[in-house]
Amino acid sequence: MSQLKNEVDVLKRVPLFSGVDAAKLKLLAFTSKVVRFKAGDVLFRQNDPGDSAYVILSGKARVFVDGPDGEIDLAEVGETDFVGEIAILCDVPRTASVSATTDLTTLRLGKETFAEFLVTFPTMSVAMMRELAFRLSRTTAELVASERRHAHP
C-alpha cells in the first residue's frame, strides 16, 4: 500500500474531515508532510508560536499545560486525533504542550493549507467549532479542579 493511500485512509476516519471527499483528502495528504516522533519527543510546547496542526496517523501523545502545581494533563490523543489547531486558527501562541508517549507518526498541516480547507468545506468548520467548544469545556473543568486542589490541600 502506498504511503499516500495509507494517509488518505486515516484522514477518512478523522471526524473533522468526514464531509470531505477522497480526492480532496488526497490533495490534503499530498500538500502536507509526514513527521515522525519517538516516545518522549515534544511536538510543540505551550506558548510556542503556532504554524501548523497535526493529524495523528499512528501512536499516542499526551496534551498538557503548565499549572500552578506543575503539569496538568488534559488529554491522551491517538490515531485520527488532531492537535495544534488552536494556535493556527486564532493566531495565538500554543495553548498547550504535546509530547509523544509512544512512537508517533503524524501528518503536519501548514497554517495556509488548513485555513484553505476550512473555507472550502463549511462542514469542517462546524466540526472544528464543536471540537474546540468541547476542549474549552474540558480545560475549564480541569483548571477548576486544579484550583480547588490548590486552595484546599
Side-chain angles (χ1 to χ4, degrees), residues 38-143:
K38 296 266 185 231
D41 286 352
V42 174
L43 282 70
F44 53 83
R45 292 197 181 282
Q46 186 176 348
N47 297 319
D48 283 352
D51 63 349
S52 57
Y54 297 84
V55 176
I56 298 176
L57 300 176
S58 66
K60 294 197 180 303
R62 146 182 191 254
V63 181
F64 60 96
V65 294
D66 297 323
D69 300 324
E71 294 176 349
I72 301 169
D73 283 321
L74 298 180
E76 181 180 68
V77 290
E79 187 175 305
T80 75
D81 284 328
F82 206 67
V83 294
E85 73 290 348
I86 294 172
I88 62 175
L89 282 172
C90 304
D91 207 21
V92 296
R94 298 286 190 191
T95 58
S97 299
V98 177
S99 65
T101 52
T102 67
D103 285 352
L104 191 67
T105 303
T106 67
L107 193 63
R108 182 182 183 273
L109 310 176
K111 189 176 194 168
E112 293 75 22
T113 301
F114 186 66
E116 195 175 301
F117 265 75
L118 285 177
V119 169
T120 307
F121 300 101
T123 56
M124 211 169 116
S125 298
V126 172
M128 179 60 68
M129 282 192 301
R130 283 195 188 112
E131 178 63 19
L132 292 175
F134 171 74
R135 289 184 192 183
L136 177 61
S137 172
R138 184 178 62 202
T139 301
T140 301
E142 286 286 337
L143 291 172

